């Protein structure tokens, strides 16, 4: 495609977003702050993002005519979830710039492909093997040491869904049979903690990263993010190096989230890549000179990235399901910022909002 999209994109231009969740909503409000219009493409009649967007195409991601009309109506396209069908991304990329490009989606949509890619850069991951059948699962479990493993679906897993922890070859075989889709078997890692780094790469190749943060999960869902990570001072530079290598190799434009395991010796393994803004970057909305959402919009619009500077410590707490019913309490806290996603039904396990609690720089209790 002849890419005649102006760089930098001028205010008043329209940014298309595939997906309508809270990440799209926060991208849309950040884009509006910079004077852009947002056009959301999402199959649902209402969604957190479409409620704050200038335009909404309600159609399926496989609706070729709707995709073409959408592409004609926008200047640049991005996405807020990684399970955009590959054909959809490829079709759109032939019509308008899609940032980050289809390569990042292709790598991040399949856990085996993702780990192959990370390892090809000389970066460590958990040991793993693909398993599509019960026999392959048994063999994989034994090859990985035969102690404990996690069986995960290769595609479409999120928030711990599509994952089973197993401690025998038979259980691994049973898990693959139950999941009924091609799987990956990963050796269970005895990590010291989990961190992530949210980083951005601009059209000019410049890379900016936020401080690595520490993540605590509850029932497989991110519960709290501690910024900065205090697991140890060591992994910061290494996390930065890893994120930079991944961004370069993907010729990436936009924000990426890289989830990492911190090993007992302080070394890092990549767990997962999120080719989009990431839940563990929500603290940047209140504790930094630029939020991950604005940084992403800057990147895809060809604007200069901001050097990411943290000016407070922060603990981000997700409001999951009925947690949100306590909104009055959070709203009354003097040093907390509450962000709600406008979802009506507080179903268990559903991300309804988050609270950023701020502390003096390097003064978190
Ligand atoms: P994921 O969906 O791959 O991010 O996994 C969700 C969570 O499961 C991670 O944040 C870890 O807490 C845990 N987990 C995933 N993979 C492994 C592994 N190979 N070893 C130990 N724990 C894991």
């Amino acid at each position: 495609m002849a890419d005649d999209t102006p760089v930098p994109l001028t205010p008043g231009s329209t940014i298309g977003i595939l997906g309508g969740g809270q990440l799209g909503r926060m991208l849309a409000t950040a884009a509006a702050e910079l004077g852009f219009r947002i056009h959301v493409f999402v199959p649902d009649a209402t969604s957190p993002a479409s409620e704050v967007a200038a335009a909404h195409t309600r159609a399926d991601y496989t609706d070729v005519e709707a995709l073409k009309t959408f592409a004609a109506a926008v200047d640049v396209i991005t996405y807020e979830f990684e399970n955009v069908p590959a054909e959809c991304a490829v079709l759109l990329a032939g019509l308008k710039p899609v940032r980050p490009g289809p390569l990042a989606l292709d790598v991040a949509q399949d856990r085996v492909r993702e780990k192959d890619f990370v390892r090809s850069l000389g970066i460590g991951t958990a040991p793993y093997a693909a398993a599509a059948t019960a026999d392959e699962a048994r063999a994989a479990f034994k090859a990985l040491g035969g102690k404990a493993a996690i069986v995960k679906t290769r595609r479409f897993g999120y928030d711990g869904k599509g994952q089973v922890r197993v401690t025998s070859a038979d259980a691994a075989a049973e898990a693959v049979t139950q999941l009924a889709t091609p799987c990956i078997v990963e050796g269970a890692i005895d990590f010291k903690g989990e961190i992530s780094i949210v980083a951005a790469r601009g059209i000019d190749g410049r890379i900016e990263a936020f401080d690595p943060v520490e993540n605590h999960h509850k029932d497989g869902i991110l519960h709290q993010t501690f910024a900065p990570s205090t697991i140890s001072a060591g992994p910061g530079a290494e996390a930065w190096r890893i994120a930079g290598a991944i961004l370069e190799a993907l010729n990436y434009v936009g924000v990426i989230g890289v989830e990492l395991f911190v090993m007992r010796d302080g070394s890092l393994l990549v767990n997962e890549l999120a080719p989009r803004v990431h839940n563990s970057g929500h603290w940047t909305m209140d504790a930094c000179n630029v939020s991950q959402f604005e940084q992403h919009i800057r990147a895809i619009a060809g604007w200069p990235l901001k050097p990411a500077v943290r000016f407070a410590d922060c603990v981000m707490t997700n409001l999951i399901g009925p947690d949100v019913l306590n909104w009055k309490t959070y709203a009354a806290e003097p040093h907390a910022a509450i962000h709600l996603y406008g979802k009506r039904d507080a179903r268990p396990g559903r991300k309804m909002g988050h609270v950023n609690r701020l502390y003096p720089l390097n003064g978190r209790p």
Side-chain angles (χ1 to χ4, degrees), residues 239-327:
W240 209 104
R241 188 191 69 76
I242 288 172
I246 291 168
L247 288 169
E248 293 286 356
L250 293 172
N251 195 22
Y252 197 93
V253 175
V255 163
I256 195 170
V258 182
E259 298 178 14
L260 299 148
F261 296 141
V262 184
M263 307 302 285
R264 309 235 164 242
D265 65 2
S267 62
L268 298 177
L269 299 180
V270 168
N271 174 36
E272 205 172 28
L273 308 180
R276 52 169 168 77
V277 286
H278 193 250
N279 195 166
S280 74
H282 290 1
W283 65 280
T284 61
M285 296 172 88
D286 298 296
C288 292
N289 62 329
V290 61
S291 75
Q292 64 164 346
F293 301 101
E294 179 180 335
Q295 195 79 304
H296 184 76
I297 296 297
R298 283 173 166 265
I300 64 168
W303 285 30
L305 296 187
K306 277 202 185 176
V309 180
R310 177 175 56 84
F311 49 64
D313 285 16
C314 185
V315 180
M316 187 285 309
T317 303
N318 269 337
L319 302 179
I320 308 288
D323 294 348
V324 74
L325 303 177
N326 294 324
W327 62 269

Side-chain angles (χ1 to χ4, degrees), residues 158-236:
Y158 69 99
D159 287 346
K161 292 188 177 63
Q163 294 194 15
V164 189
R165 197 179 176 95
V166 295
T167 52
S168 73
D170 284 346
E174 172 68 15
V176 170
T177 307
Q178 287 290 321
L179 291 167
T181 179
C183 289
I184 185 172
V185 184
E186 294 183 20
I189 299 298
D190 177 29
F191 48 72
K192 188 158 75 172
E194 296 186 70
I195 65 170
S196 56
I197 183 161
V198 170
R201 185 167 176 275
I203 280 181
D204 59 359
R206 176 169 153 190
I207 292 175
E208 291 291 342
F210 294 99
D211 286 337
V213 294
E214 182 176 338
N215 298 316
H216 293 189
H217 298 83
K218 219 190 217 177
D219 302 327
I221 303 176
L222 181 66
H223 170 49
Q224 286 188 311
T225 292
F226 296 80
S229 164
T230 51
I231 293 184
S232 87

Side-chain angles (χ1 to χ4, degrees), residues 35-175:
F36 294 114
R37 294 180 73 253
I38 287 292
H39 186 147
V40 171
F41 190 110
V42 59
D44 308 273
T46 63
S47 68
S50 56
E51 284 187 0
V52 301
H56 173 195
T57 296
R58 183 187 178 190
D60 199 81
Y61 299 112
T62 54
D63 183 335
V64 171
E65 283 315 308
L67 289 169
K68 284 184 183 165
T69 308
F70 170 70
V74 303
D75 297 291
V76 61
I77 297 168
T78 191
Y79 44 87
E80 61 106 49
F81 73 118
E82 58 270 44
N83 290 321
V84 174
E87 316 78 63
C88 162
V90 169
L91 182 139
L92 289 174
L95 300 169
K96 281 286 155 69
V98 175
R99 298 175 185 145
L103 175 62
L105 279 178
D106 181 48
V107 166
Q109 283 180 348
D110 178 342
R111 292 183 189 273
V112 173
R113 170 114 172 75
E114 182 176 79
K115 284 192 167 54
D116 288 348
F117 164 77
V118 169
R119 288 210 170 184
S120 75
L121 303 178
I123 299 166
T125 69
Y128 64 99
T133 65
D135 284 347
E136 284 175 6
R138 271 194 202 89
F141 183 84
K142 287 176 191 155
L144 295 171
K147 284 194 181 134
I150 323 274
V151 179
K152 304 179 183 176
T153 58
R154 283 178 67 154
R155 305 174 75 91
F156 302 119
Y158 69 99
D159 287 346
K161 292 188 177 63
Q163 294 194 15
V164 189
R165 197 179 176 95
V166 295
T167 52
S168 73
D170 284 346
E174 172 68 15

